[in-house]
mmCIF file of all heavy atoms in Angstrom:
data_model
loop_
_atom_site.group_PDB
_atom_site.id
_atom_site.type_symbol
_atom_site.label_atom_id
_atom_site.label_comp_id
_atom_site.label_asym_id
_atom_site.label_seq_id
_atom_site.Cartn_x
_atom_site.Cartn_y
_atom_site.Cartn_z
ATOM 1 N N ARG A 1 161.258 152.978 124.302
ATOM 2 C CA ARG A 1 159.792 152.926 124.537
ATOM 3 C C ARG A 1 159.496 152.844 126.086
ATOM 4 O O ARG A 1 160.032 152.048 126.705
ATOM 5 C CB ARG A 1 159.152 151.814 123.828
ATOM 6 C CG ARG A 1 158.931 152.063 122.321
ATOM 7 C CD ARG A 1 158.125 150.878 121.693
ATOM 8 N NE ARG A 1 156.845 150.782 122.365
ATOM 9 C CZ ARG A 1 155.982 149.746 122.153
ATOM 10 N NH1 ARG A 1 156.423 148.788 121.271
ATOM 11 N NH2 ARG A 1 154.924 149.670 122.683
ATOM 12 N N LEU A 2 158.525 153.631 126.446
ATOM 13 C CA LEU A 2 158.100 153.633 127.898
ATOM 14 C C LEU A 2 156.631 153.156 128.006
ATOM 15 O O LEU A 2 156.114 152.934 129.186
ATOM 16 C CB LEU A 2 158.256 154.951 128.509
ATOM 17 C CG LEU A 2 159.674 155.465 128.544
ATOM 18 C CD1 LEU A 2 159.704 156.962 129.059
ATOM 19 C CD2 LEU A 2 160.581 154.601 129.433
ATOM 20 N N THR A 3 155.898 153.081 126.909
ATOM 21 C CA THR A 3 154.507 152.825 126.908
ATOM 22 C C THR A 3 154.222 151.633 126.022
ATOM 23 O O THR A 3 154.898 151.345 125.053
ATOM 24 C CB THR A 3 153.691 154.003 126.399
ATOM 25 O OG1 THR A 3 154.169 154.387 125.121
ATOM 26 C CG2 THR A 3 153.811 155.188 127.391
ATOM 27 N N CYS A 4 153.094 150.955 126.211
ATOM 28 C CA CYS A 4 152.695 149.747 125.553
ATOM 29 C C CYS A 4 151.977 149.974 124.234
ATOM 30 O O CYS A 4 151.925 149.108 123.416
ATOM 31 C CB CYS A 4 151.848 148.849 126.456
ATOM 32 S SG CYS A 4 150.210 149.588 126.814
ATOM 33 N N SER A 5 151.380 151.153 124.062
ATOM 34 C CA SER A 5 150.664 151.476 122.849
ATOM 35 C C SER A 5 150.661 152.908 122.539
ATOM 36 O O SER A 5 151.165 153.711 123.324
ATOM 37 C CB SER A 5 149.168 151.019 123.145
ATOM 38 O OG SER A 5 148.647 151.781 124.177
ATOM 39 N N MET A 6 150.126 153.286 121.345
ATOM 40 C CA MET A 6 150.172 154.616 120.926
ATOM 41 C C MET A 6 149.226 155.510 121.744
ATOM 42 O O MET A 6 149.501 156.607 122.047
ATOM 43 C CB MET A 6 149.662 154.789 119.487
ATOM 44 C CG MET A 6 149.653 156.176 118.891
ATOM 45 S SD MET A 6 151.227 157.006 118.966
ATOM 46 C CE MET A 6 152.187 155.983 117.800
ATOM 47 N N GLU A 7 148.082 154.848 122.309
ATOM 48 C CA GLU A 7 147.229 155.580 123.127
ATOM 49 C C GLU A 7 147.889 156.043 124.404
ATOM 50 O O GLU A 7 147.792 157.162 124.936
ATOM 51 C CB GLU A 7 145.952 154.750 123.493
ATOM 52 C CG GLU A 7 145.008 154.565 122.298
ATOM 53 C CD GLU A 7 145.522 153.575 121.226
ATOM 54 O OE1 GLU A 7 146.555 152.859 121.621
ATOM 55 O OE2 GLU A 7 144.976 153.396 120.208
ATOM 56 N N CYS A 8 148.626 155.061 125.021
ATOM 57 C CA CYS A 8 149.390 155.426 126.282
ATOM 58 C C CYS A 8 150.477 156.419 125.985
ATOM 59 O O CYS A 8 150.806 157.177 126.820
ATOM 60 C CB CYS A 8 149.926 154.122 126.887
ATOM 61 S SG CYS A 8 148.736 153.117 127.703
ATOM 62 N N GLU A 9 151.119 156.364 124.796
ATOM 63 C CA GLU A 9 152.194 157.249 124.358
ATOM 64 C C GLU A 9 151.554 158.685 124.415
ATOM 65 O O GLU A 9 152.232 159.664 124.870
ATOM 66 C CB GLU A 9 152.712 156.897 123.094
ATOM 67 C CG GLU A 9 153.794 157.802 122.490
ATOM 68 C CD GLU A 9 155.031 157.904 123.352
ATOM 69 O OE1 GLU A 9 155.299 156.941 124.130
ATOM 70 O OE2 GLU A 9 155.832 158.828 123.223
ATOM 71 N N ILE A 10 150.468 158.859 123.764
ATOM 72 C CA ILE A 10 149.809 160.202 123.668
ATOM 73 C C ILE A 10 149.434 160.697 125.078
ATOM 74 O O ILE A 10 149.700 161.916 125.408
ATOM 75 C CB ILE A 10 148.525 160.103 122.778
ATOM 76 C CG1 ILE A 10 148.885 159.796 121.382
ATOM 77 C CG2 ILE A 10 147.744 161.444 122.906
ATOM 78 C CD1 ILE A 10 147.675 159.553 120.457
ATOM 79 N N THR A 11 148.961 159.793 125.923
ATOM 80 C CA THR A 11 148.656 160.264 127.334
ATOM 81 C C THR A 11 149.949 160.608 128.004
ATOM 82 O O THR A 11 149.898 161.668 128.809
ATOM 83 C CB THR A 11 147.978 159.075 128.108
ATOM 84 O OG1 THR A 11 146.803 158.625 127.393
ATOM 85 C CG2 THR A 11 147.636 159.452 129.521
ATOM 86 N N ASN A 12 150.998 159.869 127.889
ATOM 87 C CA ASN A 12 152.284 160.123 128.492
ATOM 88 C C ASN A 12 152.777 161.603 128.104
ATOM 89 O O ASN A 12 153.273 162.337 128.898
ATOM 90 C CB ASN A 12 153.323 159.151 128.238
ATOM 91 C CG ASN A 12 154.563 159.371 128.888
ATOM 92 O OD1 ASN A 12 154.674 159.729 130.074
ATOM 93 N ND2 ASN A 12 155.671 159.227 128.173
ATOM 94 N N ARG A 13 152.712 161.827 126.783
ATOM 95 C CA ARG A 13 153.140 163.126 126.241
ATOM 96 C C ARG A 13 152.350 164.295 126.796
ATOM 97 O O ARG A 13 152.893 165.310 127.112
ATOM 98 C CB ARG A 13 153.079 163.129 124.756
ATOM 99 C CG ARG A 13 154.151 162.233 124.050
ATOM 100 C CD ARG A 13 154.057 162.339 122.572
ATOM 101 N NE ARG A 13 155.019 161.409 121.935
ATOM 102 C CZ ARG A 13 155.143 161.302 120.636
ATOM 103 N NH1 ARG A 13 154.334 161.949 119.834
ATOM 104 N NH2 ARG A 13 156.081 160.519 120.084
ATOM 105 N N SER A 14 151.012 164.038 126.893
ATOM 106 C CA SER A 14 150.207 165.115 127.421
ATOM 107 C C SER A 14 150.501 165.464 128.898
ATOM 108 O O SER A 14 150.554 166.602 129.359
ATOM 109 C CB SER A 14 148.730 164.818 127.231
ATOM 110 O OG SER A 14 148.365 163.697 128.041
ATOM 111 N N VAL A 15 150.749 164.348 129.628
ATOM 112 C CA VAL A 15 151.108 164.521 131.051
ATOM 113 C C VAL A 15 152.399 165.184 131.190
ATOM 114 O O VAL A 15 152.620 166.153 132.022
ATOM 115 C CB VAL A 15 151.030 163.196 131.795
ATOM 116 C CG1 VAL A 15 151.610 163.347 133.207
ATOM 117 C CG2 VAL A 15 149.663 162.636 131.820
ATOM 118 N N ASN A 16 153.475 164.802 130.464
ATOM 119 C CA ASN A 16 154.770 165.323 130.509
ATOM 120 C C ASN A 16 154.696 166.822 130.178
ATOM 121 O O ASN A 16 155.409 167.712 130.634
ATOM 122 C CB ASN A 16 155.828 164.606 129.637
ATOM 123 C CG ASN A 16 156.180 163.345 130.303
ATOM 124 O OD1 ASN A 16 156.139 163.232 131.532
ATOM 125 N ND2 ASN A 16 156.687 162.386 129.513
ATOM 126 N N GLY A 17 153.862 167.136 129.139
ATOM 127 C CA GLY A 17 153.692 168.507 128.728
ATOM 128 C C GLY A 17 153.138 169.424 129.793
ATOM 129 O O GLY A 17 153.455 170.602 129.790
ATOM 130 N N LYS A 18 152.448 168.867 130.829
ATOM 131 C CA LYS A 18 151.903 169.628 131.901
ATOM 132 C C LYS A 18 152.748 169.633 133.183
ATOM 133 O O LYS A 18 152.753 170.555 133.978
ATOM 134 C CB LYS A 18 150.445 169.094 132.221
ATOM 135 C CG LYS A 18 149.419 169.347 131.129
ATOM 136 C CD LYS A 18 148.170 168.739 131.431
ATOM 137 C CE LYS A 18 147.120 168.870 130.273
ATOM 138 N NZ LYS A 18 145.797 168.299 130.656
ATOM 139 N N THR A 19 153.448 168.512 133.383
ATOM 140 C CA THR A 19 154.192 168.357 134.666
ATOM 141 C C THR A 19 155.654 168.123 134.436
ATOM 142 O O THR A 19 156.397 168.055 135.450
ATOM 143 C CB THR A 19 153.621 167.143 135.511
ATOM 144 O OG1 THR A 19 153.751 165.920 134.686
ATOM 145 C CG2 THR A 19 152.093 167.450 135.686
ATOM 146 N N GLY A 20 156.166 167.969 133.174
ATOM 147 C CA GLY A 20 157.561 167.657 133.069
ATOM 148 C C GLY A 20 158.438 168.836 133.081
ATOM 149 O O GLY A 20 158.011 169.935 133.363
ATOM 150 N N ALA A 21 159.741 168.649 132.804
ATOM 151 C CA ALA A 21 160.739 169.597 132.819
ATOM 152 C C ALA A 21 160.485 170.755 131.779
ATOM 153 O O ALA A 21 160.610 171.931 132.070
ATOM 154 C CB ALA A 21 162.165 169.102 132.655
ATOM 155 N N SER A 22 159.998 170.306 130.589
ATOM 156 C CA SER A 22 159.657 171.290 129.519
ATOM 157 C C SER A 22 158.579 172.187 130.011
ATOM 158 O O SER A 22 158.529 173.329 129.603
ATOM 159 C CB SER A 22 159.270 170.469 128.233
ATOM 160 O OG SER A 22 158.200 169.641 128.455
ATOM 161 N N SER A 23 157.627 171.659 130.742
ATOM 162 C CA SER A 23 156.502 172.440 131.184
ATOM 163 C C SER A 23 157.030 173.558 132.205
ATOM 164 O O SER A 23 156.538 174.705 132.214
ATOM 165 C CB SER A 23 155.492 171.635 131.898
ATOM 166 O OG SER A 23 154.442 172.364 132.449
ATOM 167 N N ALA A 24 158.042 173.162 133.063
ATOM 168 C CA ALA A 24 158.490 174.120 134.056
ATOM 169 C C ALA A 24 159.223 175.205 133.311
ATOM 170 O O ALA A 24 159.079 176.424 133.709
ATOM 171 C CB ALA A 24 159.517 173.306 134.969
ATOM 172 N N ASN A 25 160.004 174.910 132.291
ATOM 173 C CA ASN A 25 160.748 175.943 131.524
ATOM 174 C C ASN A 25 159.723 176.855 130.778
ATOM 175 O O ASN A 25 159.944 178.068 130.736
ATOM 176 C CB ASN A 25 161.618 175.339 130.469
ATOM 177 C CG ASN A 25 162.746 174.559 131.178
ATOM 178 O OD1 ASN A 25 163.179 174.919 132.163
ATOM 179 N ND2 ASN A 25 163.286 173.539 130.485
ATOM 180 N N LEU A 26 158.571 176.272 130.294
ATOM 181 C CA LEU A 26 157.584 177.011 129.588
ATOM 182 C C LEU A 26 156.867 177.990 130.631
ATOM 183 O O LEU A 26 156.667 179.145 130.272
ATOM 184 C CB LEU A 26 156.525 176.072 129.026
ATOM 185 C CG LEU A 26 155.420 176.796 128.313
ATOM 186 C CD1 LEU A 26 155.879 177.678 127.130
ATOM 187 C CD2 LEU A 26 154.363 175.732 127.738
ATOM 188 N N GLU A 27 156.626 177.470 131.853
ATOM 189 C CA GLU A 27 155.993 178.314 132.836
ATOM 190 C C GLU A 27 156.910 179.492 133.255
ATOM 191 O O GLU A 27 156.467 180.607 133.455
ATOM 192 C CB GLU A 27 155.563 177.529 134.073
ATOM 193 C CG GLU A 27 154.456 176.619 133.847
ATOM 194 C CD GLU A 27 154.157 175.720 135.046
ATOM 195 O OE1 GLU A 27 154.892 175.968 136.044
ATOM 196 O OE2 GLU A 27 153.222 174.878 135.010
ATOM 197 N N LYS A 28 158.210 179.272 133.256
ATOM 198 C CA LYS A 28 159.183 180.329 133.657
ATOM 199 C C LYS A 28 159.181 181.412 132.532
ATOM 200 O O LYS A 28 159.222 182.583 132.790
ATOM 201 C CB LYS A 28 160.556 179.734 133.808
ATOM 202 C CG LYS A 28 160.740 178.876 135.075
ATOM 203 C CD LYS A 28 162.160 178.445 135.193
ATOM 204 C CE LYS A 28 162.367 177.560 136.432
ATOM 205 N NZ LYS A 28 163.737 177.013 136.521
ATOM 206 N N ALA A 29 159.198 180.886 131.314
ATOM 207 C CA ALA A 29 159.193 181.822 130.187
ATOM 208 C C ALA A 29 157.880 182.736 130.156
ATOM 209 O O ALA A 29 157.940 183.886 129.842
ATOM 210 C CB ALA A 29 159.338 181.076 128.806
ATOM 211 N N GLN A 30 156.778 181.984 130.446
ATOM 212 C CA GLN A 30 155.488 182.753 130.398
ATOM 213 C C GLN A 30 155.451 183.773 131.531
ATOM 214 O O GLN A 30 154.947 184.882 131.384
ATOM 215 C CB GLN A 30 154.358 181.768 130.498
ATOM 216 C CG GLN A 30 154.108 180.899 129.234
ATOM 217 C CD GLN A 30 153.096 179.822 129.507
ATOM 218 O OE1 GLN A 30 152.789 179.412 130.608
ATOM 219 N NE2 GLN A 30 152.592 179.338 128.351
ATOM 220 N N SER A 31 155.960 183.376 132.690
ATOM 221 C CA SER A 31 156.003 184.310 133.812
ATOM 222 C C SER A 31 156.903 185.500 133.482
ATOM 223 O O SER A 31 156.501 186.657 133.823
ATOM 224 C CB SER A 31 156.526 183.594 135.086
ATOM 225 O OG SER A 31 155.674 182.525 135.432
ATOM 226 N N ALA A 32 158.008 185.280 132.922
ATOM 227 C CA ALA A 32 158.896 186.304 132.471
ATOM 228 C C ALA A 32 158.298 187.269 131.455
ATOM 229 O O ALA A 32 158.363 188.536 131.482
ATOM 230 C CB ALA A 32 160.204 185.833 131.993
ATOM 231 N N ALA A 33 157.534 186.660 130.502
ATOM 232 C CA ALA A 33 156.830 187.480 129.527
ATOM 233 C C ALA A 33 155.806 188.404 130.062
ATOM 234 O O ALA A 33 155.618 189.493 129.615
ATOM 235 C CB ALA A 33 156.227 186.523 128.457
ATOM 236 N N LYS A 34 155.098 187.867 131.117
ATOM 237 C CA LYS A 34 154.032 188.628 131.739
ATOM 238 C C LYS A 34 154.631 189.856 132.432
ATOM 239 O O LYS A 34 153.922 190.835 132.578
ATOM 240 C CB LYS A 34 153.181 187.763 132.720
ATOM 241 C CG LYS A 34 152.395 186.691 132.038
ATOM 242 C CD LYS A 34 151.658 185.871 133.060
ATOM 243 C CE LYS A 34 150.845 184.796 132.398
ATOM 244 N NZ LYS A 34 150.115 183.959 133.408
ATOM 245 N N LEU A 35 155.852 189.764 132.943
ATOM 246 C CA LEU A 35 156.388 190.803 133.679
ATOM 247 C C LEU A 35 157.200 191.866 132.718
ATOM 248 O O LEU A 35 157.626 192.881 133.106
ATOM 249 C CB LEU A 35 157.435 190.289 134.678
ATOM 250 C CG LEU A 35 156.797 189.458 135.801
ATOM 251 C CD1 LEU A 35 157.898 188.861 136.701
ATOM 252 C CD2 LEU A 35 155.764 190.285 136.587
ATOM 253 N N SER A 36 157.382 191.430 131.443
ATOM 254 C CA SER A 36 158.146 192.264 130.539
ATOM 255 C C SER A 36 157.296 193.420 130.007
ATOM 256 O O SER A 36 156.092 193.221 129.644
ATOM 257 C CB SER A 36 158.623 191.450 129.377
ATOM 258 O OG SER A 36 159.167 192.271 128.271
ATOM 259 N N PRO A 37 157.824 194.642 129.973
ATOM 260 C CA PRO A 37 157.060 195.806 129.393
ATOM 261 C C PRO A 37 156.763 195.686 127.929
ATOM 262 O O PRO A 37 155.990 196.333 127.399
ATOM 263 C CB PRO A 37 157.954 196.986 129.695
ATOM 264 C CG PRO A 37 159.355 196.429 129.810
ATOM 265 C CD PRO A 37 159.129 195.037 130.413
ATOM 266 N N ASN A 38 157.535 194.729 127.286
ATOM 267 C CA ASN A 38 157.297 194.506 125.846
ATOM 268 C C ASN A 38 156.226 193.586 125.488
ATOM 269 O O ASN A 38 155.618 193.583 124.438
ATOM 270 C CB ASN A 38 158.660 194.080 125.184
ATOM 271 C CG ASN A 38 159.772 195.069 125.378
ATOM 272 O OD1 ASN A 38 159.495 196.280 125.332
ATOM 273 N ND2 ASN A 38 161.009 194.571 125.567
ATOM 274 N N SER A 39 155.994 192.587 126.371
ATOM 275 C CA SER A 39 154.969 191.568 126.108
ATOM 276 C C SER A 39 153.895 191.390 127.130
ATOM 277 O O SER A 39 152.914 190.673 126.908
ATOM 278 C CB SER A 39 155.656 190.243 125.902
ATOM 279 O OG SER A 39 156.513 189.950 127.080
ATOM 280 N N GLY A 40 154.013 191.991 128.281
ATOM 281 C CA GLY A 40 153.110 191.850 129.319
ATOM 282 C C GLY A 40 151.886 192.716 129.086
ATOM 283 O O GLY A 40 151.753 193.494 128.149
#
């Protein structure tokens, strides 16, 4: 556990979803998709 309550846990997940490593991978995938002739 890194947070004191469920409210803080939800906030932490939302922040990590925007700035964490998973978000960076998602942004790379989205950038690649935009350049692809099949999905862009």
Side-chain angles (χ1 to χ4, degrees):
R1 283 185 58 189
L2 301 174
T3 55
C4 63
S5 63
M6 181 58 67
E7 290 76 11
C8 284
E9 176 67 18
I10 295 174
T11 302
N12 181 47
R13 289 181 181 180
S14 64
V15 171
N16 282 337
K18 295 177 182 179
T19 62
S22 59
S23 176
N25 293 333
L26 179 60
E27 289 179 359
K28 289 181 181 179
Q30 290 174 341
S31 298
K34 291 178 181 180
L35 298 176
S36 170
N38 298 325
S39 55

